Each structure stands twice: as C-alpha cells, then as structure tokens.
Amino acid sequence: MSSVIWSVFGFIVAIGVLVTFHEFGHYWVARRCGVKVLRFSVGFGRPLWRRNLANGTELVLAAIPLGGYVKMLDERESEEPIPDELQDQAFNRKSLAQRSAIVAAGPVFNFVLAAVFYWATYVIGVPDMRPVIDAPPAGSLLAEAGAVGGSEIDAVNGEATPTWTSARMALLDQAMAADTLRLRMTEPGGGSREIAIDTAGVPVDPEPMFETLGLGLYRPEIPPRIAEVVPGEPAAAAGLQAGDLIVALDGEPMASWRALVEWLRAHPGEQTVLTVERGGEQLTRELTVGSAIDGGEQVGRLGARVDVPADLWQDFRTIHREGVMEAAVSGVGETVSVAWLTLRMMGRMIVGDVSVDNISGPLQIAQYAGYTAAAGLVTYLGFLALISVSLGVLNLLPVPMLDGGHLLYYLVEAIKGSPVSERTQILGQQLGLLMLAGLMGLAFYNDLSRLFG
C-alpha cells in the first residue's frame, strides 16, 4: 500500500510541477508580447479552485491532473466580436515571430527547469555506484575484448564516467554516434588499459545493447551464510538454521551465495547433501531442492535469506558532487545530452532499431515517480529533470496539436508568406489526434504488459 501512495504522490507532484512550468512558459512570453491571457489552468475538467488576477487572467486548478492549458484571446476562437480596444491583445494579431516565441516557450521552459533540477542534484550530491563491472559472460563483446571483472570504467571515448549511471549513458550515446567504443579502464591490480569495441555489432536498444556488451554492475561475493529460514520451505525441512554457513554441496566447496543460487536454480526438485558450519562444527544435511516458476521457467529454490554484510557495498558507493558554477554548466550540458539522446532514440525507434516496448505510459511513470520519491530528494529531482526533458522534446515534435505542430505551421507561413489554410489545419489536427491516440494506446498497452505480463 505504501508503494501505491508514493506512486500517486510522486506522480501528482511531478505532473503538477512540470505541466505548470510548461504552461507558465506560454503564459509569461504571451504577457511579454502583449497578449491577453483569459485562463491559466492546471489540470482538465471541473474547476476545484479559481482566482482572478489583476490583469484579468483566471487561474484554475482542475480535477484531472493530467495536463493543463493557457487560453489566450484569439479572434478565431471567440464566439463574439472582440472589442476594438482589445484587438491588439489577440494572439492572432501578433507577428509571426511573437506567435512562434509564445508557442516555443512551453518546451523551452521545460528544458530550463530540467537544467535547474540537474544543477540542484549536482550541488547537493548524486548518490551512485562506481562504474566497476562484473565479470563479463563468455562470448560477450567485453569478454572478447579482454575486460575482466572488477575493472572500473574511467572514460568512454574520452568522456569521463565517474559513476555507473554516467558510464551507461555514455555507452548508449556513443554506440549511436561512433564507429568504435573505446573504454579506458582501471583493472583490479591498479593497471590501466584501453579496450576497443566495434559498434557494428552493438544494438542500440538499451537492454539488448548492455546484454551484448556483457555489461553488468560488479557484485561483491557474499558468503553463503543464512540469515533467515522460511518456515515450510526446503531449507526448513532440511533442518537448516539462521547462522549456518554452507561450505559444500555434494562435497564440492561452495564459496559464495551466488554460486549456490546458480546451482539451485538449475536443479529444481533434485536431492543433494549440504555441508554446513554451525557453532564451529561441520554438519551434513540432506536437501530436496524446491521449485518455482520464474519468467515461465521452472527453477530451483532454497527458501532461505542470505546474511548480507552491512558494509558489503561500502567501497563501491560514491557521491558525485560539484561546485555551484560547475554544476550550472553540467546541468545545461546534461539537459542537452539527454534531449539529443532522446531524439536519436526516437529516430531509431521509427526505423525499427529500438523496440517500441521502451515507450512508457502514465502507469509506468507513476511507478517510477513512486520509487524515486521514496528514494530521496536528489533521486526524485533527477527523475523530474528527465521527465521535463522528455516533455520538452515530445512537445517540439512536428505533430499537429503539439507545440511543434504549430511551429511547423508557422514555418510554412514564413516560407509561403501566408498562414496555412483552415482546412489544412483541421486535417492536421485530426491526424495529430489520431497519432497521439495511437501513441497513448501503445503506452498503456506497454504499461499493462509490464504490470500483468
């Protein structure tokens, strides 16, 4: 229940902040251009709260917090003739440059807000993991290039990667931009080396890409010591107890919990003999491996929880922090990088290089909002920055009904010297509505597939 509350809270705050700032961009530039704004609404549907400003704008907080709008004085939308003294305040009477600035202001303000959020996270300090890789699987590109587990990625194609997140983003970015991935790494013994990977064999879809590379975060080995035995499970039936250290399986030494789990998962329903250390003595226990269905596959299970040392990850955690001015530059740079990466991912999605399964809808966004809000302020600000960039990019797409669609009309107007015909605009709106409905349908389908699939 708490996760649902966090998701609802995080989602409402995110939508409220991002949409309000987007619409404020339209409002602020419209007022600077002398356009009369009739209504500034956060949300759709029945108004829950309203207030009139001194300049005549009605502020509204509506019931459905999934968007917002700014309604401006416009002769094309007015049911009654506009008084002569107000005609110069109508949106449609403004110059092409002014109208374009008003429309573009919403997405631009989203980018500005994202840069501010990124700046704040860098000043406060972003908790992350050092980019230390696990042993790459045999046959993966990293393994073939000679990378070894425990190596730390220092740079990708010359770009410094102080954290795990920055390393993944750099790899994803460079896989689309360069012919070769050059990774400078510090190996476990302290030596430095550079490996090169041909990007021709690297998919640009994120998860398949990391799987092909064999990239995984380093997992320190955990001793196979039991912290808790689940009643009614195979471990309890075999007489295992909290504190037992599993030292061998069928006489074969068992050095880590990971090795034990891998063997158990591969042998559901089989019988084996465990050697455990308890109170300085070694005991043997017969175990019938349990079974469960995981991802449609039958796997073995023990029914016990491992004792994870409190300081296991201490040496691998890091906090990326920058000074106020340095963070401002980094915030702008990160905003530009994420926006450009988003555009390229969209382009690759259109040609089929990236799966449409990567599209997330409101349910998935709400879930991420809950995770990040529960994780802390810095993590949540990073989430808001990412969504703000995505909102800005999405609205600039040349799709009728979006800001980018209006800007496309204005570009045509600038070229031909007259506005796009009303019939063309109506057809464009219908096409845009169809495209957005299809996109939302796909996003909802992906959300439901993740939840129930």
Side-chain angles (χ1 to χ4, degrees):
M1 178 60 76
S2 61
S3 63
V4 174
I5 294 174
W6 273 116
S7 294
V8 172
F9 169 78
F11 182 73
I12 290 177
V13 171
I15 295 299
V17 171
L18 301 183
V19 169
T20 299
F21 207 73
H22 176 97
E23 298 302 333
F24 178 72
H26 292 309
Y27 170 82
W28 188 81
V29 175
R31 294 296 301 155
R32 301 288 80 73
C33 292
V35 175
K36 182 176 180 58
V37 178
L38 303 178
R39 175 179 288 186
F40 184 139
S41 178
V42 177
F44 299 111
R46 184 172 62 87
L48 301 177
W49 174 88
R50 65 178 74 201
R51 178 183 176 184
N52 290 319
L53 300 180
N55 60 21
T57 300
E58 180 187 32
L59 293 182
V60 174
L61 181 63
I64 305 175
L66 295 178
Y69 63 92
V70 170
K71 184 177 181 180
M72 306 174 203
L73 185 66
D74 194 317
E75 291 175 297
R76 299 166 300 178
E77 299 177 359
S78 179
E79 296 179 357
E80 300 178 357
I82 295 177
D84 292 342
E85 65 272 15
L86 293 179
Q87 287 186 0
D88 64 336
Q89 298 183 46
F91 175 81
N92 63 291
R93 291 290 183 107
K94 297 301 176 181
S95 68
L96 179 61
Q98 288 176 314
R99 283 179 281 136
S100 299
I102 293 169
V103 170
V108 169
F109 268 52
N110 277 127
F111 295 137
V112 171
L113 184 62
V116 171
F117 283 149
Y118 280 129
W119 168 83
T121 62
Y122 292 141
V123 170
I124 298 170
V126 184
D128 209 321
M129 304 297 293
R130 289 167 48 203
V132 179
I133 66 170
D134 208 15
S140 65
L141 296 180
L142 279 171
E144 292 177 354
V148 296
S151 297
E152 184 166 0
I153 304 174
D154 300 315
V156 176
N157 287 13
E159 179 183 345
T161 54
T163 66
W164 179 248
T165 300
S166 64
R168 284 170 56 96
M169 290 293 289
L171 285 167
L172 186 59
D173 180 60
Q174 291 300 315
M176 289 189 288
D179 296 328
T180 304
L181 291 175
R182 299 189 182 278
L183 281 67
R184 191 175 73 246
M185 314 180 79
T186 299
E187 297 187 317
S192 180
R193 68 173 299 187
E194 182 177 287
I195 63 174
I197 298 174
D198 186 357
T199 58
V202 180
V204 293
D205 205 346
E207 292 311 315
M209 184 192 101
F210 296 132
E211 183 177 347
T212 301
L213 286 173
L215 182 74
L217 182 63
Y218 180 72
R219 294 179 293 171
E221 295 295 357
I222 304 173
R225 186 180 300 278
I226 294 175
E228 179 184 358
V229 174
V230 181
E233 292 288 338
L240 298 181
Q241 299 178 9
D244 285 352
L245 177 66
I246 301 174
V247 297
L249 189 151
D250 282 340
E252 294 293 327
M254 193 59 55
S256 70
W257 181 259
R258 189 195 313 189
L260 174 65
V261 170
E262 289 175 355
W263 190 93
L264 291 170
R265 286 179 63 87
H267 298 83
E270 295 189 15
Q271 290 189 331
T272 185
V273 176
L274 299 179
T275 303
V276 302
E277 189 175 283
R278 179 188 302 167
E281 299 183 56
Q282 286 198 350
L283 310 171
T284 59
R285 291 290 183 265
E286 292 187 359
L287 171 75
T288 300
V289 181
S291 64
I293 301 298
D294 183 12
E297 178 185 2
Q298 188 176 28
V299 297
R301 56 179 286 116
L302 179 62
R305 185 171 62 84
V306 67
D307 183 10
V308 180
D311 60 350
L312 181 69
W313 294 97
Q314 181 175 338
D315 294 337
F316 298 93
R317 292 191 177 97
T318 186
I319 295 180
H320 180 66
R321 184 179 287 114
E322 298 179 1
V324 173
M325 297 307 298
E326 184 185 6
V329 175
S330 296
V332 173
E334 186 71 7
T335 300
V336 173
S337 295
V338 173
W340 180 231
L341 178 62
T342 302
L343 278 173
R344 283 185 293 167
M345 291 292 287
M346 287 180 175
R348 293 300 185 98
M349 197 174 292
I350 291 173
V351 299
D353 289 341
V354 174
S355 172
V356 294
D357 291 343
N358 290 287
I359 297 175
S360 295
L363 299 180
Q364 188 75 5
I365 294 173
Q367 193 173 43
Y368 288 148
Y371 291 156
T372 55
L377 175 62
V378 172
T379 307
Y380 188 58
L381 287 177
F383 165 79
L384 290 179
L386 178 62
I387 299 301
S388 191
V389 172
S390 300
L391 188 60
V393 171
L394 178 65
N395 272 280
L396 283 177
L397 295 179
V399 176
M401 294 193 65
L402 296 179
D403 294 331
H406 292 291
L407 292 174
L408 178 62
Y409 289 153
Y410 296 155
L411 176 61
V412 173
E413 180 178 343
I415 294 173
K416 66 190 291 281
S418 61
V420 175
S421 69
E422 185 175 346
R423 175 177 172 78
T424 299
Q425 292 188 44
I426 292 174
L427 290 175
Q429 288 179 347
Q430 293 173 342
L431 176 62
L433 181 61
L434 183 63
M435 293 173 66
L436 291 177
L439 180 62
M440 286 302 299
L442 177 61
F444 269 112
Y445 174 78
N446 287 344
D447 282 356
L448 295 175
S449 296
R450 294 185 186 102
L451 286 174
F452 303 110

